[in-house]
Every structure is written in structure tokens, then in C-alpha cells.
Amino acid sequence: SYNLIANPVMGANGVRGAVIVLLDVTEREESEQMRREFTANVSHELKTPLTSISGYAEIIRNGLVKSEDIPRFAGNIYTETQHLITLVEDIIKLSRLDERAVELERAETDLLAIARDVAERLKVPADQGQITIRVSGEPAKVMGVPNILDEMIFNLADNAVKYNKPGGSVQMTAGVQDGHAFIEVADNGIGISEGDRERVFERFYRVDKSRSKQIGGTGLGLSIVKHGAAFHNAHVTLQSEVGRGTTVRITF
Ligand code: ADP
């Protein structure tokens, strides 16, 4: 849609013409629409765990729980609280990326070094799921915001571990191709169906809500990857086959 602005041009004998400006506001409207949707989603995502925490607390307060059940209730409250913390952290990361006005300091950063660091941090959950993580390639330097690059690569590797199968593996590769640094994360996990491949980058979109909740997803991980890539003028490609695995590559 367009905004129309008409300004008369005055000459010696009065109005001589007009300047008409057509302002394409489609993009602006879309982003406002997206912001409204985002706020509605955030409220919903925050309310669900809060309602459940409040419910557990209420039952305990009323003395309606047998003492042997209290540890289980406390466990549920703990899990819901952890989920809320991750959610709030992800929302903060995303909104920071949205505020383009904020000048984040860039530095020369090696994607291979980040990949190694991320693999180290994912060792424990990977071991628990019987998943092997390998890192290979060559140093791949980019001028970027180290924190954001770390979050992006972590989210990809974390997904590759979470949506894998016991005995599966994750291969992280960094390098330079045709003068462009890249990082690739490949897994041989559950894969993503064609219809979901575009949608997984949407905020709060999860393929399998119940499974995702169980493994602690917020649905924001890939949105952070997408926005982080846009911030760095990088592009993201995703290839996947159901039951065989997923490969995501960020090219800078
Ligand atoms: P989440 O916090 O749920 O992991 P993401 O935005 O990171 O959120 O991912 C969105 C959804 O995309 C996930 O819930 C999952 O269904 C799917 N997904 C992401 N990465 C993978 C992967 N490597 N393999 C299979 N499915 C994936």
C-alpha cells in the first residue's frame, strides 16, 4: 500500500502544479503487523509457564499435596522457571538485534574458533543423547559481533543435538569458499519436512510443540540465526530430509 503526499508548487500567478509523492509503506505496515503478532505471541508464551507455576504453588499452599509429591511439584516449578529464563533471554537477544540503532562493536572473529568453543559447551547434552560432535575445516575470519556470532552458531549446533537420534552425529565445518567465510552445521537427525522448512525461521514456530517443550525449545533459536545473519549481511541456507538429517550453512 501507498501513502500519497501532494504538495502544490506555487508560481508568480498562483498554483502552477503539484508534486506528488507516493510512499511505499507496505514494508512498514508489515513490520508493524509483525510487531503486533510478536507481542501477542510473547504474552502467550510467558503466560503458559506462569499459569502452571502459579497453579502448582496454589495447590501446595492449600495443603492439597501429599508430602511425598512435593519434590515432583517442585521439579515441575523448576522446569517451568528454567524455560521462562531461556525464553526471556532469547527475547532480549532478538530485540537487541531488532534495534538497529544500537551500535554493537564488531571485531575480527574466527568462525572455526567459535565452532570449537560451542562444541565444547555442548559436550554434556550431546553425551547424554549419545551424539558425537565433530568440528573441522580451516580458520574463517569475519568482521562481526562475537556475541551474536556465538549465539547463532550455538543455536544451530544445539538444534543439531536436540533434534537428533541416539547414536547420531553433528558435523560443524568452517572455511572460506569463493572468498566468503562460512560455517556449516550438519546433523543426521530427524530432519524437517518441506512444508516446515520455511516456517522454522519464524518466531515461536516449532514443528512438534509437545516434543519441543519437553526438550526445552523456545521456538526463537532460528529467528535469532536469521536476524543475526541479516545483521551481518550473511545468508542462511537450509537443506533437510525427513529422517535423514539437516544441514544449515551461513555464508558471510
Ligand atoms: P527451538 O527452540 O524450538 O529449537 P528453533 O527456532 O531453534 O526453536 O527451531 C524451530 C523448530 O525447527 C524446532 O522446534 C524444530 O522443530 C525445528 N528444527 C530446528 N533445527 C532442527 C534440526 N537440526 N533438525 C530437525 N528439526 C529442527
Side-chain angles (χ1 to χ4, degrees):
S1 56
Y2 294 90
N3 272 358
L4 191 130
I5 303 166
N7 273 329
V9 176
M10 308 300 278
N13 311 315
V15 177
R16 298 206 31 194
V19 174
I20 293 173
V21 181
L22 279 175
L23 212 58
D24 185 351
V25 292
T26 316
E27 209 173 296
R28 202 196 303 160
E29 276 171 5
E30 270 173 10
S31 81
E32 264 161 32
Q33 164 78 11
M34 272 174 65
R35 203 163 305 142
R36 274 196 296 273
E37 272 170 25
F38 182 57
T39 311
N41 282 335
V42 167
S43 315
H44 173 78
E45 297 287 332
L46 291 174
K47 254 190 188 157
T48 311
L50 282 171
T51 306
S52 123
I53 292 169
S54 151
Y56 288 123
E58 183 69 9
I59 297 170
I60 294 172
R61 191 175 68 151
N62 291 341
L64 294 172
V65 193
K66 288 187 238 132
S67 59
E68 66 260 35
D69 285 335
I70 288 183
R72 188 166 52 86
F73 274 58
N76 291 341
I77 292 175
Y78 178 79
T79 309
E80 295 289 354
T81 314
Q82 288 302 310
H83 177 70
L84 272 175
I85 292 171
T86 316
L87 194 62
V88 169
E89 282 169 354
D90 278 356
I91 292 167
I92 291 169
K93 285 174 196 163
L94 259 184
S95 58
R96 211 183 47 198
L97 280 170
D98 273 351
E99 291 167 25
R100 284 163 198 270
V102 178
E103 267 310 311
L104 296 158
E105 202 159 326
R106 292 179 190 239
E108 195 177 67
T109 312
D110 178 14
L111 302 174
L112 181 65
I114 296 185
R116 291 223 165 94
D117 192 64
V118 163
E120 199 53 41
R121 278 184 275 153
L122 283 171
K123 222 173 134 38
V124 173
D127 280 350
Q128 280 167 354
Q130 296 162 5
I131 288 147
T132 323
I133 308 182
R134 283 186 226 97
V135 183
S136 65
E138 46 172 8
K141 292 191 176 147
V142 296
M143 268 311 270
V145 181
N147 264 346
I148 298 177
L149 294 168
D150 184 281
E151 280 158 16
M152 291 160 68
I153 297 171
F154 181 88
N155 289 349
L156 293 182
D158 186 40
N159 282 347
V161 170
K162 285 193 301 191
Y163 304 107
N164 218 311
K165 308 174 226 171
S169 66
V170 176
Q171 172 68 51
M172 301 172 80
T173 312
V176 182
Q177 199 171 42
D178 304 324
H180 295 284
F182 72 89
I183 174 81
E184 187 178 278
V185 180
D187 67 64
N188 53 10
I190 62 174
I192 304 168
S193 73
E194 198 182 340
D196 287 318
R197 262 170 240 157
E198 280 289 316
R199 304 211 61 194
V200 289
F201 289 96
E202 289 172 19
R203 292 165 177 190
F204 297 114
Y205 189 81
R206 278 161 284 184
V207 175
D208 180 346
K209 287 213 181 247
S210 59
R211 185 191 153 109
S212 208
K213 178 100 198 277
Q214 215 184 326
I215 50 183
T218 61
L220 291 175
L222 287 178
S223 312
I224 293 172
V225 172
K226 186 174 101 177
H227 285 81
F231 183 88
H232 286 96
N233 290 323
H235 73 266
V236 185
T237 55
L238 184 147
Q239 286 171 301
S240 189
E241 208 177 315
V242 174
R244 310 212 82 184
T246 303
T247 300
V248 185
R249 184 188 269 241
I250 311 173
T251 309
F252 290 80

